[in-house]
Amino acid sequence: MKSPVKNILFIMCDQLRADHLSCFGHPRLHTPHLDRLAARGVIFDRAYVNSPVCGPSRMSYYTGRYVHSHGASWNFVPLKAGEMTIGDHLRPLGVQSVLVGKTHMRADLAGMSRLGIDPQSQIGVRIAECGFDPYERDDGIHPYSGHDPDPSYSDYLRRNGFDGDNPWETWANATEDDDGTLRSGWFLKYSNRPARIPDEHSETPYITRRAMDFIREAGEQPWCLHLSYIKPHWPYIVPEPYASMYTADDALPVVRSDTERDNPHPVYAAMMDHRVSQTFSRDGVREAVMPGYMGLIKQIDDQMGVLFQFLEDSGLMDKTMIVFTSDHGDYLGDHWMGEKDLFHEPVIKAPLIVYDPDPRADTTRGTRCQALVEAVDIAPTFLDVYGGPAVPHVMDGRSLRPLLFGQTPTDWRTEVVCEYDFSFQDSRIALATKPRDAWMRMVRDERWKYVLFENFRPMLFDLLNDPNEFHDLGASTAPEHVAAKERLHEALFRWARQPRQRVTVPDGAIESIEVQARITEGGILIGYWDEDDLAQARQHFKPRFASHNPLVKPTLDRLTHPETQPSTPPATQPEGATQDA
């Protein structure tokens, strides 16, 4: 059956925790527009990112490949030129792939220079933009993001009367205290105060309008639009009316225990010592931050209402797949941590809602899926929507459409994997760890979570009996814990052994071709003893291979039966030549 899906709207928030949407269980932060989307689609309760930090996580979403496959292991590590992304897979199918918002992509300028690619050319721009055509890229954090120091949003603010060299910082991400003093939203202390910018001119509504601008201009060609919001990523500051909607009492209780700081794993201890973790562990910090963080999410949900109504009014809702997710979560003081530097659930579990207008998805509308899914599954899902053949030799993920259609493949994964390169963090320095050893990898299954480090013992959590992950069992010698560590270690080793760099020859091509027959077809006879050996082998060649190739068959006939071939007359000497003595 041909899919009725014409377009894909791929929405990503930055640093949005799954447990901060009402459809995922938050009791005070109501997100009715996303709830209604979920009622029309499927909530994936156990969706996981493949890295807990922005850049590598997004590159896994965009490529369908694990971090150690695509190599962009931390923020500002370029995705190497040549890595195929969503746009590279969809354009041959007639689908334009467009970006509005953030990617956290750093261009591989050295790679383009080596290949002679002009970064300003169409190919160069696509390589620099994760394969998307940028309608408007805005990574936020201006001018410090390493992308555009003075983006279109800054020009927009100035046109609307918000002047300054950096209106992003002084208006959209700043506040005024009671005596009128300008205070930066970078300081967590002011997260519960309103941003100076009016709501309509703040980042989230602006980028929503830019997405709608693209959709109006898109024409009839199918599109995949990556709408990527900067928020609720820090600075945690939001304009009114959202700044006053929530207090610290509306926040979820902090999830941390004093037992976690009692002889912790060395890497965990070093990360608890990061400045952001030390700050979030202080009394009063979380209470100041949570109103701003929650307000930013409420603002996003309201903008989802604007966007979804626009799709309805434009007649596009019934022909557009919508995927809503996040690149990772945020500790926000849980586990005595800030930011997103380890593998606890608040950081690696992503909110994932998928609405597929295909009638085959009618049986799952409004349901929740408990399958273990990963960020790498998004790209193959998009390829599947447009009828492209699966490319398991390139993409590590699998299409979610069978799950959307109510079919769970019998060979669906039983574990998820997440990776993190902490070589760029202060914890690596504190631990005197070499960059090549500063990788950690996590594998979790239905019950257990196992974290592998180089030169340190592993971590282990029993998610059934310890869902808050307070008790690290990595050093335990109890038989049950030893068995779980051994089994998950082998699962991680099996995952790591899979070939992921042979991307130029599909598995299907190998499986459909008798490789040795094709070699013989080219007249390369390896391992044959004599003519009878070749004659017997040719009896088993398939019709499309060597014995029937009109270019090679005469040569093979001659080699197989030399006695039937006409003798070659001796070469004649040129006139006037003399024979050597």
Side-chain angles (χ1 to χ4, degrees):
M1 176 181 176
K2 183 179 179 181
S3 173
V5 178
K6 179 182 179 183
N7 308 308
I8 294 174
L9 179 57
F10 176 25
I11 306 170
M12 181 178 288
C13 296
D14 196 329
Q15 213 146 310
L16 171 62
R17 286 173 53 144
D19 57 6
H20 275 61
L21 304 176
S22 50
C23 54
F24 279 85
H26 199 290
R28 305 291 288 274
L29 177 49
H30 300 299
T31 51
H33 303 293
L34 286 168
D35 293 357
R36 282 196 288 273
L37 181 70
R40 301 178 68 167
V42 175
I43 289 176
F44 289 87
D45 277 316
R46 297 197 297 174
Y48 288 86
V49 297
N50 294 115
S51 182
V53 72
C54 303
S57 173
R58 288 169 177 271
M59 298 312 117
S60 287
Y61 274 109
Y62 302 154
T63 63
R65 288 163 61 74
Y66 291 116
V67 175
H68 83 282
S69 299
H70 62 64
S73 63
W74 203 71
N75 296 342
F76 309 119
V77 174
L79 182 70
K80 58 184 177 289
E83 279 290 329
M84 291 188 69
T85 62
I86 290 170
D88 299 310
H89 290 285
L90 295 188
R91 278 191 194 92
L93 303 176
V95 182
Q96 52 183 327
S97 296
V98 178
L99 168 69
V100 174
K102 179 174 185 175
T103 64
H104 223 300
M105 167 72 170
R106 175 63 64 90
D108 183 10
L109 297 176
M112 284 191 272
S113 175
R114 185 179 70 253
L115 297 171
I117 298 172
D118 180 0
Q120 303 304 314
S121 68
Q122 184 181 65
I123 293 175
V125 169
R126 286 174 176 170
I127 290 174
E129 301 288 358
C130 308
F132 297 108
D133 289 320
Y135 186 82
E136 176 152 345
R137 178 174 173 181
D138 190 340
D139 272 17
I141 319 175
H142 304 294
Y144 320 110
S145 68
H147 183 56
D148 186 350
D150 197 25
S152 298
Y153 179 57
S154 291
D155 290 338
Y156 166 84
L157 291 178
R158 296 186 191 104
R159 288 197 306 270
N160 284 276
F162 307 104
D163 295 326
D165 293 336
N166 186 0
W168 175 88
E169 181 170 311
T170 57
W171 288 98
N173 290 278
T175 188
E176 295 178 2
D177 63 18
D178 294 338
D179 64 6
T181 301
L182 184 68
R183 301 292 186 180
S184 173
W186 283 110
F187 298 115
L188 300 177
K189 177 179 180 179
Y190 304 114
S191 299
N192 57 0
R193 299 187 66 89
R196 298 178 74 201
I197 200 81
D199 170 44
E200 65 180 293
H201 297 303
S202 60
E203 292 168 279
T204 296
Y206 170 79
I207 214 69
T208 303
R209 291 194 297 272
R210 295 299 287 145
M212 294 189 295
D213 288 342
F214 163 75
I215 295 171
R216 289 189 190 96
E217 300 169 13
E220 292 303 313
Q221 184 181 1
W223 45 260
C224 175
L225 170 60
H226 182 36
L227 171 56
S228 184
Y229 289 98
I230 298 163
K231 299 298 186 177
H233 188 281
W234 38 257
Y236 307 107
I237 191 166
V238 67
E240 294 288 15
Y242 302 100
S244 300
M245 284 187 178
Y246 303 100
T247 68
D249 293 336
D250 296 310
L252 297 174
V254 66
V255 178
R256 62 191 182 204
S257 167
D258 288 335
T259 61
E260 295 179 283
R261 297 198 285 188
D262 182 14
N263 191 30
H265 187 283
V267 177
Y268 181 28
M271 290 183 170
M272 283 193 286
D273 200 40
H274 287 170
R275 176 182 294 277
V276 65
S277 297
Q278 292 273 4
T279 301
F280 265 102
S281 297
R282 288 165 46 186
D283 291 340
V285 174
R286 179 181 168 89
E287 290 75 10
V289 168
M290 293 312 299
Y293 183 75
M294 295 170 68
L296 287 166
I297 296 168
K298 183 65 174 178
Q299 185 188 40
I300 288 169
D301 184 70
D302 282 350
Q303 287 302 304
M304 292 299 96
V306 173
L307 181 59
F308 298 157
Q309 188 60 53
F310 170 78
L311 292 176
E312 293 279 11
D313 295 342
S314 303
L316 295 174
M317 198 70 178
D318 292 337
K319 58 182 72 171
T320 302
M321 171 183 274
I322 301 175
V323 174
F324 180 90
T325 190
S326 173
D327 59 351
H328 53 74
D330 193 329
Y331 274 107
L332 295 169
D334 285 354
H335 303 286
W336 310 99
M337 296 273 282
E339 278 287 87
K340 56 265 181 175
D341 291 319
L342 248 174
F343 298 124
H344 295 91
E345 294 289 286
V347 168
I348 63 171
K349 181 182 282 188
L352 179 59
I353 303 169
V354 181
Y355 158 67
D356 189 337
D358 193 306
R360 290 174 289 181
D362 288 349
T363 59
T364 63
R365 300 199 188 284
T367 65
R368 311 183 81 97
C369 180
Q370 300 304 312
L372 290 168
V373 304
E374 297 179 310
V376 292
D377 297 329
I378 297 301
T381 300
F382 294 170
L383 188 61
D384 190 4
V385 165
Y386 290 108
V391 286
H393 66 296
V394 177
M395 293 185 183
D396 296 316
R398 298 176 60 177
S399 172
L400 298 176
R401 292 201 101 194
L403 301 175
L404 295 170
F405 297 161
Q407 306 154 3
T408 302
T410 56
D411 60 345
W412 194 259
R413 70 171 62 87
T414 55
E415 300 99 8
V416 293
V417 173
C418 196
E419 304 172 81
Y420 186 39
D421 174 4
F422 68 97
S423 61
F424 300 87
Q425 293 286 13
D426 289 343
S427 47
R428 179 192 67 79
I429 300 172
L431 295 165
T433 298
K434 293 183 180 300
R436 290 274 174 165
D437 292 333
W439 278 72
M440 50 184 173
R441 295 176 174 89
M442 179 225 77
V443 57
R444 70 146 290 174
D445 62 10
E446 297 288 336
R447 176 176 175 180
W448 301 95
K449 178 182 290 186
Y450 174 80
V451 184
L452 177 68
F453 301 87
E454 299 297 330
N455 304 320
F456 298 100
R457 70 163 177 83
M459 299 176 80
L460 180 73
F461 295 97
D462 182 350
L463 301 176
L464 177 63
N465 296 307
D466 179 27
N468 288 325
E469 304 172 273
F470 287 157
H471 305 288
D472 174 14
L473 305 171
S476 172
T477 58
E480 182 182 32
H481 302 153
V482 171
K485 286 185 286 186
E486 290 177 350
R487 180 173 52 78
L488 288 174
H489 187 92
E490 173 55 30
L492 191 59
F493 185 38
R494 182 175 64 250
W495 167 85
R497 293 197 304 265
Q498 296 302 305
R500 294 193 170 90
Q501 299 304 324
R502 182 187 26 84
V503 299
T504 54
V505 179
D507 293 348
I510 297 172
E511 293 168 356
S512 66
I513 295 173
E514 293 184 8
V515 176
Q516 294 306 314
R518 292 299 298 269
I519 291 173
T520 302
E521 181 182 33
I524 302 171
L525 306 181
I526 300 174
Y528 291 92
W529 171 250
D530 60 11
E531 295 83 356
D532 288 342
D533 232 2
L534 179 59
Q536 291 179 20
R538 290 182 69 184
Q539 294 177 18
H540 303 287
F541 288 169
K542 293 182 178 179
R544 55 191 170 129
F545 292 140
S547 289
H548 296 267
N549 186 320
L551 298 178
V552 181
K553 184 176 183 301
T555 298
L556 293 179
D557 288 344
R558 176 175 54 79
L559 293 173
T560 307
H561 304 290
E563 70 281 358
T564 66
Q565 306 301 314
S567 60
T568 303
T572 58
Q573 294 184 4
E575 185 176 350
T578 59
Q579 186 173 2
D580 291 338

